[in-house]
Amino acid sequence: MSFGQGGPQSQWDPWKPQSQQPQQQPWNSGEGDNSPDWAALAEASEARAKRRRLLFVGGGALATVAIAGAVAVAVVSANGTGQASDGPSSQLPATADIPSATDATPSFAPTSAPPPLDPKDFISSAKKDKAPLSPDLLFTGTQLTMGETVYKKGPTADTRTCGSAAQKTLPKVLADNDCTRLMRVTYTEGDTAVTVGVAVFDTEAKALRAKQQADKKSIIRSLSGGGVKSFCTGAVCRSTTNSYGRYAYFTIAGFTNGKDVTEKTTEVFRAGDDLAEFTFRQIHRRGETQASAAAEG
């Protein structure tokens, strides 16, 4: 069958790249010789469609291979030396050799360090509070600086008869809770003087109960001597009560010149609060020292 005008007859094969597709005219030009071959056109169209399907399937297969290769290289790079591999895909590990996500999970050895020791545990009962104890060990040095104020250390006292160093309602409170020892120390700053009394009990519960049972009349005796004039023997003074661990501590503050303490004499309030805070710190430091020694031992 001839297509076009003149020239040799050309047969088009869709599978041969050298063949040329003739110009097709799917209409009737009026001449019987030029009627299109509908069967040939349908066959050519089916061949083209089949070729496109093959190309799409082949392209998808190539894309799948490329993705699989990228995953394999990524796994090797992440779990190997960290360098990209340029070798052929045959050198990549098999699927069974590729580490799983659980294999890559880091593991840590359990720590063997014990928890830190609580300093308060060592000052809460006589069974653990074994360090040496005295007024000079608890209140070291010859003076105390709190902020910008310097307090000079005066006389100290230590007794196993707790009631003898207390007055008003405090002796009974100490006796009812089995006080074993009462230490006192006095600090001065100008005409202001403060005596701190530390009562020792066997347990924290007894010290706490003594604090709770103490009232406004539960006060310790002021301690004078060694250059410190007598104070708080007849004048109005300020007192405080607190406890920490197996220790209850008390302060009494006033003037060495005999004046009464009033709400306006703020220096006495400050001095009593400073010495109460310092006493708490010293008791806590005692617990820290014993806790540290136990941890090292």
Side-chain angles (χ1 to χ4, degrees):
M1 181 180 295
S2 174
F3 293 90
Q5 301 293 329
Q9 185 178 15
S10 175
Q11 183 67 32
W12 173 65
D13 186 349
W15 297 103
K16 294 181 180 180
Q18 301 298 330
S19 64
Q20 298 180 356
Q21 183 178 4
Q23 182 179 3
Q24 300 174 1
Q25 298 178 353
W27 63 82
N28 193 338
S29 62
E31 296 181 3
D33 294 339
N34 293 328
S35 298
D37 188 343
W38 296 105
L41 291 176
E43 182 179 358
S45 177
E46 177 63 22
R48 289 194 300 272
K50 181 178 180 181
R51 186 183 179 203
R52 283 196 299 269
R53 285 196 300 269
L54 291 173
L55 288 174
F56 283 128
V57 172
L62 290 175
T64 302
V65 173
I67 293 174
V71 171
V73 171
V75 171
V76 173
S77 177
N79 296 278
T81 61
Q83 299 178 351
S85 174
D86 295 329
S89 59
S90 61
Q91 297 179 2
L92 296 176
T95 303
D97 297 332
I98 297 176
S100 64
T102 56
D103 295 334
T105 303
S107 60
F108 301 94
T111 178
S112 58
L117 300 177
D118 186 357
K120 191 178 179 183
D121 289 343
F122 291 85
I123 55 172
S124 293
S125 70
K127 294 181 179 180
K128 297 188 69 173
D129 191 9
K130 298 295 186 180
L133 180 62
S134 72
D136 289 329
L137 289 175
L138 195 59
F139 300 96
T140 58
T142 59
Q143 64 182 30
L144 166 66
T145 301
M146 297 290 287
E148 297 180 354
T149 306
V150 178
Y151 300 96
K152 295 181 179 180
K153 182 180 175 181
T156 63
D158 188 5
T159 180
R160 302 283 178 173
T161 307
C162 299
S164 64
Q167 56 183 328
K168 304 290 185 176
T169 60
L170 185 56
K172 184 178 186 305
V173 170
L174 298 177
D176 289 346
N177 293 283
D178 303 320
C179 174
T180 61
R181 187 174 184 180
L182 200 155
M183 299 172 290
R184 289 179 296 165
V185 61
T186 295
Y187 286 88
T188 61
E189 192 270 321
D191 291 334
T192 302
V194 181
T195 294
V196 180
V198 180
V200 185
F201 301 86
D202 287 338
T203 65
E204 179 182 15
K206 291 184 176 182
L208 181 60
R209 189 161 54 244
K211 169 193 170 183
Q212 294 170 342
Q213 292 176 355
D215 56 25
K216 293 182 179 179
K217 295 181 179 180
S218 301
I219 57 178
I220 58 171
R221 294 186 181 275
S222 61
L223 181 64
S224 58
V228 178
K229 296 180 181 180
S230 177
F231 65 101
C232 294
T233 55
V236 177
C237 290
R238 183 201 181 221
S239 64
T240 65
T241 301
N242 214 329
S243 69
Y244 184 62
R246 69 186 189 110
Y247 300 89
Y249 52 99
F250 310 86
T251 68
I252 185 167
F255 293 107
T256 57
N257 59 11
K259 292 193 309 181
D260 290 339
V261 174
T262 67
E263 293 180 355
K264 296 181 179 180
T265 53
T266 56
E267 63 272 28
V268 175
F269 284 79
R270 184 189 69 244
D273 292 343
D274 283 349
L275 268 299
E277 180 181 351
F278 177 68
T279 302
F280 166 79
R281 292 181 183 179
Q282 292 299 95
I283 296 172
H284 183 72
R285 184 174 291 112
R286 175 179 174 83
E288 287 181 327
T289 302
Q290 295 182 86
S292 178
E296 294 176 356

